[in-house]
């Protein structure tokens, strides 16, 4: 190559061709992560639900139960864990606040979820808890990894403090977004009472003394956008019962909560819009730019060769020299 | 030889850009001052 234009084109061709795999397999895995300081809230509603009246310990039908879920990235805590873990960590301090139809608190359960910012795999460190109980979380919670696969995952259930498979059940279209549908069933399981009860004077310990136990089952459904791994919609068919003990008198069991929990409409719209924009960013790094750069690299290389070939016209002293036969000595 | 130098320059620039992007993308931010909610927000 002798021409300046051809050399510049060649350099650009190599630049773009090299950037293509670098972007997909080096830059993307490094920069695709959950920001440590992320804050998000979510409102879910269960209409025509059944709720326990803690005054009389009888079940009642209510028009609506609202669940406000907040996740707040604790940057200081994540930086502290990163020092020993040696990788990017996210610490989410969460609160699930359940409110009855009259605005009264039904329960509030705090949670600390520690995970790898890139893979969303749980990380075990001091402070990992649900409702103040230390736990060792396995599996996913709240979010799937980037580039979610069509397979079953392990998902952590905060109520039962157990990890169970969440099954991939097919690909669907949700409001114009291609999503993977996942479903998990937690069978009837005895679970601890919340530390904060809706009636003053009743605590987890005082209830335990009566011999009454709390049981729970749920069918958890998630519609996950696979590129970002973000759920765009979620539902739960959730049932809780109190069983046995002196609190219930001669009754064997009473429903503490039963309802079909769904995301509130405005939050669905907000989530879908947000996921659509983030999906574009991930696709840019995993598909559009790598393929575009590779194509551009090939095009520039072809152009460089063309410029070079045009420069090597017959009669050109350099090209004549190159094609002239070498003297042979015997 | 000049073609080799041009190709090496392109390759080096690609690596330099990739490293620069990953360094820029590793900022952590700050903890939000917003509280964990105990009231129902009117909108997202």
């Amino acid at each position: 190559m002798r021409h300046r234009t051809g050399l510049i084109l060649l350099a650009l061709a190599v630049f773009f061709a090299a950037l293509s795999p670098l972007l997909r397999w080096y830059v993307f895995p490094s920069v695709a992560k959950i920001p440590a300081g992320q804050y998000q809230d979510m409102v879910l509603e269960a209409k025509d639900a059944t709720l326990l009246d803690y005054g009389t310990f009888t079940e009642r039908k209510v028009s609506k139960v609202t669940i406000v879920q907040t996740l707040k990235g604790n940057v200081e805590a994540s930086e502290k864990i990163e020092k020993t873990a040696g990788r990017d960590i996210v610490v989410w301090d969460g609160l699930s606040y359940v409110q009855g139809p009259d605005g009264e608190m039904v329960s509030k359960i705090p949670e600390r979820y520690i995970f790898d910012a890139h893979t969303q795999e749980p990380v075990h460190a001091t402070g990992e808890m649900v409702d103040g109980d230390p736990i060792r979380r396995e599996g996913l919670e709240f979010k799937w990894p980037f580039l979610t696969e069509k397979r079953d995952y392990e998902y952590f259930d905060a109520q039962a403090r157990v990890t169970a498979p969440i099954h991939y059940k097919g690909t669907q279209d949700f409001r114009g977004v291609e999503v993977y549908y996942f479903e998990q069933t937690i069978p009837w399981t005895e679970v601890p009472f919340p530390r904060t009860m809706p009636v003053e004077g009743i605590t987890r310990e005082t209830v335990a003394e009566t011999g009454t136990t709390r049981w729970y089952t749920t069918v958890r459904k998630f519609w996950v956008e696979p590129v970002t791994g973000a759920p765009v919609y979620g539902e739960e068919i959730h049932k809780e019962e109190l069983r046995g003990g002196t609190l219930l008198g001669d009754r064997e069991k009473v429903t503490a909560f039963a309802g079909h929990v769904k995301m509130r409409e405005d939050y669905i719209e907000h989530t879908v819009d947000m996921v659509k924009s983030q999906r574009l960013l991930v696709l840019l790094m995993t598909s559009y730019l790598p393929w575009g750069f590779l194509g551009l690299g090939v095009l520039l290389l072809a152009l460089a060769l063309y410029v070079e070939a045009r420069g090597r016209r017959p009669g050109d002293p350099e090209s004549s020299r190159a094609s002239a036969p070498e003297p042979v000595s015997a | 030889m000049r073609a080799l130098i041009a190709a090496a320059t392109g390759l080096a620039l690609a690596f330099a850009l990739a490293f620069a992007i990953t360094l820029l993308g590793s900022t952590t931010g700050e903890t939000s001052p917003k509280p964990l909610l105990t009231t129902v927000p009117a909108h997202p």
Side-chain angles (χ1 to χ4, degrees):
Chain A
M1 286 234 173
R2 301 154 303 155
H3 291 275
R4 191 189 187 89
T5 315
L7 289 169
I8 291 170
L9 286 170
L10 177 68
L12 286 171
V14 174
F15 173 76
F16 284 113
L19 203 55
S20 169
L22 277 173
L23 204 57
R24 173 62 185 83
W25 287 292
Y26 177 72
V27 177
F28 172 71
S30 304
V31 300
K33 63 177 183 178
I34 307 294
Q38 190 172 5
Y39 178 95
Q40 58 190 53
D41 56 22
M42 177 59 63
V43 176
L44 303 112
E45 293 174 335
K47 288 181 178 157
D48 303 320
T50 304
L51 204 57
L52 181 73
D53 183 329
Y54 276 88
T56 58
F57 272 92
T58 53
E59 57 192 60
R60 61 182 175 129
K61 278 277 175 194
V62 295
S63 57
K64 189 171 73 179
V65 171
T66 309
I67 298 139
V68 184
Q69 202 167 59
T70 322
L71 295 172
K72 178 172 164 172
N74 187 327
V75 177
E76 293 76 25
S78 66
E79 283 173 346
K80 202 173 164 187
I81 298 168
E82 276 170 8
K83 282 178 189 164
T84 49
R87 52 184 165 151
D88 292 328
I89 302 291
V90 175
V91 176
W92 270 349
D93 288 330
L95 182 69
S96 289
Y97 185 85
V98 183
Q99 185 177 291
D102 308 320
E104 77 279 12
M105 188 269 288
V106 174
S107 73
K108 56 175 182 182
I109 299 181
E111 207 177 324
R112 174 167 278 193
Y113 178 31
I114 308 167
F115 60 97
D116 185 295
H118 299 278
T119 64
Q120 279 83 76
E121 288 289 318
V123 172
H124 306 297
T126 309
E128 191 182 4
M129 62 90 178
V130 173
D131 202 17
D133 299 329
I135 50 138
R136 189 177 169 86
R137 190 186 266 99
E138 299 295 341
L140 307 169
E141 197 179 358
F142 303 115
K143 191 195 170 292
W144 269 249
F146 292 99
L147 308 178
T148 299
E149 296 168 20
K150 292 179 182 179
R151 64 172 175 89
D152 298 351
Y153 284 86
E154 292 290 309
Y155 193 90
F156 180 76
D157 183 289
Q159 285 274 357
R161 278 81 151 159
V162 295
T163 301
I166 189 160
H167 301 287
Y168 168 75
K169 296 260 181 177
T171 303
Q172 297 180 9
D173 181 279
F174 185 83
R175 302 192 183 194
V177 181
E178 188 190 84
V179 292
Y180 292 172
Y181 171 59
F182 290 92
E183 196 177 291
Q184 181 191 48
T185 301
I186 301 291
W188 281 107
T189 308
E190 188 181 345
V191 294
F193 279 90
R195 284 187 189 273
T196 309
M197 301 287 276
V199 177
E200 216 171 305
I202 299 181
T203 64
R204 181 191 269 191
E205 289 73 25
T206 57
V207 176
E209 284 167 16
T210 67
T212 302
T213 53
R214 179 173 172 246
W215 292 73
Y216 148 90
T217 182
T218 199
V219 177
R220 178 172 285 120
K221 303 172 178 190
F222 277 115
W223 285 259
V224 178
E225 195 289 304
V227 175
T228 56
V232 291
Y233 183 58
E235 285 185 10
E236 251 190 66
I237 301 165
H238 184 124
K239 287 176 196 163
E240 286 176 34
E241 286 178 358
L242 302 188
R243 295 183 186 176
T246 53
L247 268 181
L248 305 184
D250 55 355
R251 291 169 300 170
E252 196 179 304
K253 61 183 181 182
V254 63
T255 301
F257 173 73
H260 193 155
V261 182
K262 298 175 180 179
M263 274 168 68
R264 202 171 74 184
E265 181 56 38
D266 53 349
Y267 274 87
I268 300 174
E269 287 170 19
H270 174 73
T271 308
V272 168
D273 288 346
M274 190 174 68
V275 169
K276 274 182 179 172
S277 65
Q278 288 174 349
R279 179 179 190 274
L280 182 67
L281 282 175
V282 176
L283 280 175
L284 268 175
M285 301 201 75
T286 56
S287 178
Y288 300 158
L289 286 177
W291 282 112
F293 285 166
L294 190 65
L296 192 60
V298 171
L299 193 75
L300 287 166
L301 181 67
L303 208 60
L305 292 172
Y306 173 74
V307 167
E308 181 64 17
R310 268 184 63 124
R312 293 191 179 224
R313 288 186 302 270
D316 187 317
E318 198 167 321
S319 59
S320 315
R321 258 202 318 273
S323 59
E326 295 279 323
V328 179
S329 57
Chain B
M1 188 62 190
R2 280 189 293 177
L4 205 62
I5 292 168
T9 307
L11 195 65
L13 284 174
F15 272 95
L17 183 64
F19 290 141
I21 295 171
T22 54
L23 287 177
L24 285 173
S26 63
T27 51
T28 50
E30 289 177 358
T31 303
S32 169
K34 289 193 260 181
L36 296 171
L37 300 177
T38 52
T39 52
V40 182
H43 52 78

